[in-house]
Amino acid sequence: MSSSYWIQTEDWHTAGEPFRIVTDLPINTLPDAPSVAERRLAVLKSPDHPLNNLRQQLCLEPRGHADMYGGFITPPNDSGAHFGVLFWHAEGFSTACGHGTIALGFWVVTKGLVEAPKGADGVVDVFVDVQSGRVVAQVFVKDGKPAHADFVNVASYQLEKGLSVDIPSRGVSIVAGLAFGGAVYATVDAAQLGLRVEPKNANEFVALGREVKKVLGARACYDRSFSLWIWDVCKAGDAVGGGKNGGWTVEADTQIHCGVNI
């Protein structure tokens, strides 16, 4: 790949979460592999791979920022999906991205790349091959135009529970669980850390996310052949108020996703 080239992107968001879409990659940069998962592994094997360099150029300053997400559009694994995507963020190539899947569903229906009912209401299923399997973006159409969307993820299940994790920075030992839902998640009750899930504690949670990930190490490896290491550390169980339980997910080293369960 030459040192100077043009890349065209489209920037979308899902409830404010950014997602940068790249449809046309520089020639001869996409690994010649039969599946999205194998393409990801091929890129990861070489830190200087052209797609890793491109990811950094699009994701980091000055063209991006610490919270940037995006995806390189690829061929699907087979005819059962509309297309494939290599998800990426500031830390590398991720195995899953929920808000990115929703953005992609909205994108293809809005652009007419996947046909929607003309002038009518309905649901359009957009099948996408990602690094962790095949997901389905469900785009709800009103009067022929996309109105809102969600997605059906790969199967989720528990990997481990009751793991003891020492946190040197706080001088405590906590209990964590591991679950798979497209990526490996470590779940930690914030009360064990003496913290509340509040905006003022965001930087502490980012630091703790890094620490939990480092301490878990190989114990957080789901399957070495797919290199699905922990990258999300979810802090939940703290009372936010009004009888609601809040949860924060620390992703891609510095990014925080928030959620409230009634």
Side-chain angles (χ1 to χ4, degrees), residues 2-3 14 19 33 50 55 57 68 71 84 91 99 101 113 118 123 138 147 155 159 162 166 178 190 208 230 233 235:
S2 65
S3 59
T14 303
F19 193 75
R55 172 194 65 81
Q57 292 165 3
M68 178 59 75
E91 197 177 26
H99 82 269
T101 300
L113 302 175
K118 297 187 182 301
V123 180
Q138 296 184 316
L159 294 169
D166 293 327
L178 291 179
L208 285 165
I230 181 172
V233 181
K235 285 83 177 180

Side-chain angles (χ1 to χ4, degrees), residues 181-260:
V184 177
Y185 294 80
T187 58
V188 177
D189 187 340
Q192 298 181 88
L193 299 165
L195 291 172
R196 291 180 58 84
V197 180
E198 297 175 335
K200 67 179 182 180
N201 293 327
N203 288 337
E204 285 191 78
F205 276 120
V206 168
L208 285 165
R210 293 170 177 162
E211 192 169 7
V212 170
K213 176 180 177 179
K214 181 179 180 180
V215 172
L216 280 173
R219 290 184 293 172
C221 181
Y222 163 65
D223 186 331
R224 290 183 184 274
S225 65
F226 283 87
S227 301
L228 296 183
W229 290 79
I230 181 172
W231 60 280
D232 295 301
V233 181
C234 184
K235 285 83 177 180
D238 194 10
V240 176
K244 301 176 181 179
N245 291 323
W248 280 2
T249 305
V250 182
E251 301 184 356
D253 193 50
T254 62
Q255 300 169 21
I256 289 182
H257 289 201
C258 303
V260 175

Side-chain angles (χ1 to χ4, degrees), residues 163-185:
L163 288 175
S164 178
V165 183
D166 293 327
I167 307 297
S169 67
R170 304 188 76 83
V172 298
S173 180
I174 63 174
V175 176
L178 291 179
F180 178 77
V184 177
Y185 294 80

Side-chain angles (χ1 to χ4, degrees), residues 31-253:
D32 184 16
S35 71
V36 173
E38 290 169 289
R39 293 176 195 128
R40 172 179 177 266
L41 287 177
V43 174
L44 293 179
K45 288 179 180 178
S46 174
D48 293 326
H49 194 283
L51 289 188
N52 191 43
N53 293 334
L54 180 58
R55 172 194 65 81
Q56 295 179 64
Q57 292 165 3
L58 294 176
C59 194
L60 306 180
E61 298 282 359
R63 301 175 185 88
H65 50 79
D67 297 326
M68 178 59 75
Y69 264 85
F72 297 140
I73 304 302
T74 76
N77 295 350
D78 56 50
S79 60
H82 291 98
F83 58 92
V85 60
L86 283 169
F87 288 129
W88 45 260
H89 48 54
E91 197 177 26
F93 288 85
S94 61
T95 55
C97 182
H99 82 269
T101 300
I102 292 173
L104 287 169
F106 227 90
W107 167 67
V108 293
V109 173
T110 299
K111 303 281 286 187
L113 302 175
V114 175
E115 189 174 355
K118 297 187 182 301
D121 299 348
V123 180
V124 180
D125 287 339
V126 180
F127 295 88
V128 187
D129 284 330
V130 305
Q131 290 92 313
S132 54
R134 180 165 292 168
V135 297
V136 185
Q138 296 184 316
V139 183
F140 295 80
V141 176
K142 185 174 180 59
D143 298 328
K145 297 181 180 180
H148 60 93
D150 57 26
F151 77 102
V152 179
N153 198 9
V154 297
S156 301
Y157 46 86
Q158 186 178 65
L159 294 169
E160 299 282 352
K161 63 179 181 179
L163 288 175
S164 178
V165 183
D166 293 327
I167 307 297
S169 67
R170 304 188 76 83
V172 298
S173 180
I174 63 174
V175 176
L178 291 179
F180 178 77
V184 177
Y185 294 80
T187 58
V188 177
D189 187 340
Q192 298 181 88
L193 299 165
L195 291 172
R196 291 180 58 84
V197 180
E198 297 175 335
K200 67 179 182 180
N201 293 327
N203 288 337
E204 285 191 78
F205 276 120
V206 168
L208 285 165
R210 293 170 177 162
E211 192 169 7
V212 170
K213 176 180 177 179
K214 181 179 180 180
V215 172
L216 280 173
R219 290 184 293 172
C221 181
Y222 163 65
D223 186 331
R224 290 183 184 274
S225 65
F226 283 87
S227 301
L228 296 183
W229 290 79
I230 181 172
W231 60 280
D232 295 301
V233 181
C234 184
K235 285 83 177 180
D238 194 10
V240 176
K244 301 176 181 179
N245 291 323
W248 280 2
T249 305
V250 182
E251 301 184 356
D253 193 50

